[in-house]
Amino acid sequence: MGLFERYLSVWVGVAIILGILAGSIVPDLFALVAGLEYAHVNLVIAVLIWLMIYPMMVQIDFSSIKEVSGQPKGLVLTLVVNWLIKPFTMALLGWLFFKGLFAGWVDPETATEYIAGMILLGVAPCTAMVFVWSQLTKGDANYTLVQVSINDIVMIFAFAPIAGLLLGVSDITVPWNTLLLSVVLYVLIPLVAGAITRSKLDKSNDHSKLNASLAAMKPWSIIGLLSTVVLLFGFQSQTILAQPEAIVLIAIPLLIQTYGIFAITYYLAKRVKLPHNVAAPASMIGSSNFFELAVAVAISLFGLHSGAALATVVGVLVEVPVMLSLVWFANKTPHWFASR
């Protein structure tokens, strides 16, 4: 794990502080940026999100999918957890905390937006950082790649319907045109562009040009992430300074969701007798989130200043330390699983 990944929460924390300070000192600048939008998509945020997502999509090797045919149980587990369990437990926790336990501390409209942000996180399984978690747990690299590739394909077709269903159940009006546009803009187009780029860079199949290009892209991905966080917290600065407890309230159900989904997946992986080098990354995929997509869709659907956007960014803040603790746990328990 590189310096950036290891201390991601620190960098995000610094970006949060800078955003809050900047939003308080130069609010007119953030108001100007907020006004640069087309079809409910903020153009500045869209560019930054693309800087984050595109390098991740270039990493996906769809030719590896054929390798999974002999060992499908891990892939089935990943798909079941990511698309039939995780989104619904996230929505349930959102309702439990913000319509129940925390109802006295958050106004109903803001609570609904927090729930929406949590739902968007829950419907977006991890795409990039899971490669780091897989490596740290000595996971099967090829199998992890297959799991991520299949999830990205499923995401094109399943993200909008499941998000729309859960947002609708949560009494949130779903602007379907904006939701579908977000999927096309932030999943389909980057995925196709990444596949084309990978094909052109890796014609010789020695990965040298591909790896060099990915290394060159990485700083831009980092710039995109941290700049997005600065902008989001700059837009939210007045709300956060008035209600700093909001970040803590959002973090609590997100922590429960992350640890809970890991426990469910890890237990099921043991029951179906997966080897540890497949079980560990499968559990990491379900536990972590494609927060770049969740942030982009939250902004498109609910606006830059919304509680939904804030909830998705809090997901970035808590994810890395939590996932590192799960990596530690996974590395302590390989003896629970059958060896391949």
Side-chain angles (χ1 to χ4, degrees), residues 253-272:
L254 291 181
L255 288 171
I256 294 172
Q257 165 79 358
T258 303
Y259 284 118
I261 289 297
F262 179 88
I264 291 170
T265 312
Y266 214 54
Y267 171 76
L268 292 175
K270 186 175 185 300
R271 289 296 302 269
V272 300

Side-chain angles (χ1 to χ4, degrees), residues 79-130:
L79 293 174
V80 168
V81 170
N82 281 329
W83 300 106
L84 299 180
I85 297 177
K86 180 181 176 182
F88 302 94
T89 56
M90 186 72 97
L92 180 62
L93 284 171
W95 263 90
L96 176 63
F97 279 90
F98 289 109
K99 294 298 185 180
L101 299 176
F102 296 160
W105 296 333
V106 183
D107 68 84
E109 182 178 353
T110 302
T112 299
E113 291 186 350
Y114 289 165
I115 294 171
M118 290 178 61
I119 287 171
L120 292 174
L121 282 169
V123 188
C126 187
T127 295
M129 287 297 289
V130 72

Side-chain angles (χ1 to χ4, degrees), residues 35 40 54 73 100 129 136 150 153-154 179 186 188 257 283 303 308 314:
H40 302 290
Y54 175 65
K73 289 191 293 186
M129 287 297 289
L136 290 177
I150 294 293
I153 294 173
V154 173
L179 182 57
Y186 299 119
L188 180 59
Q257 165 79 358
S283 301
V314 173

Side-chain angles (χ1 to χ4, degrees), residues 286-311:
S287 304
S288 51
N289 304 301
F290 189 179
F291 53 76
E292 297 87 351
L293 173 63
V295 167
V297 177
I299 292 169
S300 299
L301 292 179
F302 302 100
L304 290 161
H305 303 278
S306 66
L310 178 62

